[in-house]
Amino acid sequence: MLRILSSDLWSEIGRLTKRRGVRRAAVAYVSTDVPVAFRVGDKLIVNASDDAIRAGQTSAAVLSAAFSQGAALFSNPNLHAKVLVVGGVAVVSSANLSQSSREVLHEIGIVTDDPEIVGGATQFVEQLAQESIRMDASFIERIRAIPVVRRRHVGTKGRQKRVHVRGGRTWILGLSEDPVYPGKQEEVERINESVTSEAERGEEVDWFWWSGKRSRFLHLAKVGDRIISLYRPRQSDKSTRTVRVYRHCVIKRIFRERGCSATTYHIASRSDAEKTRLSWSRFLVLAKKAGVRGRFSVDSAREIPSEQSTALHTLWGQLGQ
């Protein structure tokens, strides 16, 4: 899905925010919580500088309500982006969360479930949060005391610290069921239950572990990256006849247990994963059509370029049509 919206942008945002799942947003100015009411587990980054609060461009009352509901809030005075990720869908637009944006201004935005864009938007929010000020109770109390004197424009001083967005990676990984996790599996299962509770409607959560100091995947994979899994029941089985290839799933959480040589990756797949899985031979044909070059093995741990990932995702979705 890839849609460009203007007059119906806000109705689409309202529909999307009814979906189950964590909401991640980086929106410069937030002066209303309609239709997006942030709650526990959600992450919101805004410009909550003194100037923005004083000018009424960001509402301390709205942030206070979101904070009381358990949302993680961050302030970045150089933020100008407007991006929202929820339910496996990303909205990238010109719209602030404001009454004027909703009712007066001409806005435009792209709404998509494209894994490259959703992954990139997710990673933008996560990385920007690390470069921003996390709001606590004292921060909220202080900005609520700032008197609001509306004016036309609020500027910020200082050099902007840019956030690099690579758009996420797509990995083709050979996975098998039989390896035993070398750490405390009960802790991993607890984390997996937490990820499951945050899953979007229509997603199924699972996990696997990976080790090896020289593994490129181990060092580079991040939350929001996609995985195409080459799954086989037994690691010792090198035959391609037992391989089942599953469409793009998304890394939702990465866990590194202290003292353990392995890292666990908690992934979310579409509920139709079994229905859309491919045999080894059929996957190779599809990969070739998508422009993926080179040889694969059942033990592959390979990154593919974003344009090939997008083409593969699109062609895969057309198989059942």
Side-chain angles (χ1 to χ4, degrees), residues 181-184 187-188 191 255-263:
Y181 175 63
K184 298 177 182 178
E187 176 67 9
V188 177
I191 292 173
F255 172 63
R256 296 179 178 89
E257 181 182 336
R258 181 174 297 179
C260 181
S261 61
T263 300

Side-chain angles (χ1 to χ4, degrees), residues 197-268:
S197 69
E198 299 173 355
E200 328 292 0
R201 184 173 299 169
E203 286 186 337
E204 295 180 357
V205 175
D206 203 349
W207 66 277
F208 65 90
W209 63 271
W210 199 267
S211 63
K213 293 183 179 180
R214 296 183 179 180
S215 169
R216 191 166 184 270
F217 171 75
L218 186 69
H219 290 291
L220 296 181
K222 297 183 181 298
V223 170
D225 281 4
R226 281 79 55 205
I227 293 174
I228 298 170
S229 58
L230 313 176
Y231 174 84
R232 62 192 191 280
R234 295 178 300 278
Q235 190 176 38
S236 59
D237 187 358
K238 303 302 181 181
S239 171
T240 59
R241 290 179 298 177
T242 62
V243 175
R244 293 171 285 176
V245 185
Y246 291 91
R247 195 179 180 186
H248 302 62
C249 61
V250 180
I251 299 176
K252 293 287 189 176
R253 190 86 58 88
I254 298 175
F255 172 63
R256 296 179 178 89
E257 181 182 336
R258 181 174 297 179
C260 181
S261 61
T263 300
T264 65
Y265 297 84
H266 302 260
I267 56 177

Side-chain angles (χ1 to χ4, degrees), residues 31-276:
S31 58
T32 179
D33 58 0
V34 178
V36 188
F38 293 92
R39 59 202 179 197
V40 63
D42 295 343
K43 185 171 290 184
L44 171 64
I45 309 170
V46 303
N47 179 351
S49 63
D50 289 4
D51 282 345
I53 297 296
R54 189 175 294 111
Q57 292 180 298
T58 294
S59 168
V62 170
L63 296 181
S64 178
F67 183 82
S68 66
Q69 290 296 314
L73 304 180
F74 301 82
S75 176
N76 192 309
N78 293 315
L79 178 62
H80 195 254
K82 292 90 178 174
V83 59
L84 168 69
V85 181
V86 61
V89 177
V91 181
V92 183
S93 75
S94 61
N96 290 302
L97 291 175
S98 66
Q99 205 71 19
S100 60
S101 179
R102 186 181 184 188
E103 298 179 356
V104 179
L105 302 175
H106 296 292
E107 307 285 9
I108 194 167
I110 292 175
V111 180
T112 182
D113 62 356
D114 183 291
E116 296 293 328
I117 298 176
V118 174
T122 299
Q123 291 179 0
F124 174 79
V125 176
E126 293 293 335
Q127 185 178 344
L128 186 62
Q130 298 177 23
E131 307 292 343
S132 304
I133 301 169
R134 180 153 188 170
M135 301 184 211
D136 55 16
S138 61
F139 187 103
I140 296 294
E141 182 179 1
R142 184 184 64 78
I143 62 174
R144 284 186 67 96
I146 297 175
V148 176
V149 181
R150 296 187 182 275
R151 60 187 187 187
R152 286 188 177 184
H153 176 72
V154 174
T156 57
K157 296 181 179 180
R159 185 175 180 180
Q160 182 176 355
K161 187 172 184 179
R162 296 191 178 277
V163 176
H164 175 68
V165 182
R166 57 172 172 80
R169 291 183 164 94
T170 298
W171 305 89
I172 297 179
L173 292 183
L175 302 173
S176 57
E177 185 173 337
D178 56 349
V180 177
Y181 175 63
K184 298 177 182 178
Q185 187 157 328
E186 61 274 14
E187 176 67 9
V188 177
E189 294 290 355
R190 183 189 66 79
I191 292 173
N192 208 60
E193 289 178 4
S194 174
V195 176
T196 300
S197 69
E198 299 173 355
E200 328 292 0
R201 184 173 299 169
E203 286 186 337
E204 295 180 357
V205 175
D206 203 349
W207 66 277
F208 65 90
W209 63 271
W210 199 267
S211 63
K213 293 183 179 180
R214 296 183 179 180
S215 169
R216 191 166 184 270
F217 171 75
L218 186 69
H219 290 291
L220 296 181
K222 297 183 181 298
V223 170
D225 281 4
R226 281 79 55 205
I227 293 174
I228 298 170
S229 58
L230 313 176
Y231 174 84
R232 62 192 191 280
R234 295 178 300 278
Q235 190 176 38
S236 59
D237 187 358
K238 303 302 181 181
S239 171
T240 59
R241 290 179 298 177
T242 62
V243 175
R244 293 171 285 176
V245 185
Y246 291 91
R247 195 179 180 186
H248 302 62
C249 61
V250 180
I251 299 176
K252 293 287 189 176
R253 190 86 58 88
I254 298 175
F255 172 63
R256 296 179 178 89
E257 181 182 336
R258 181 174 297 179
C260 181
S261 61
T263 300
T264 65
Y265 297 84
H266 302 260
I267 56 177
S269 306
R270 294 165 57 108
S271 58
D272 62 353
E274 289 296 332
K275 183 179 178 181
T276 59

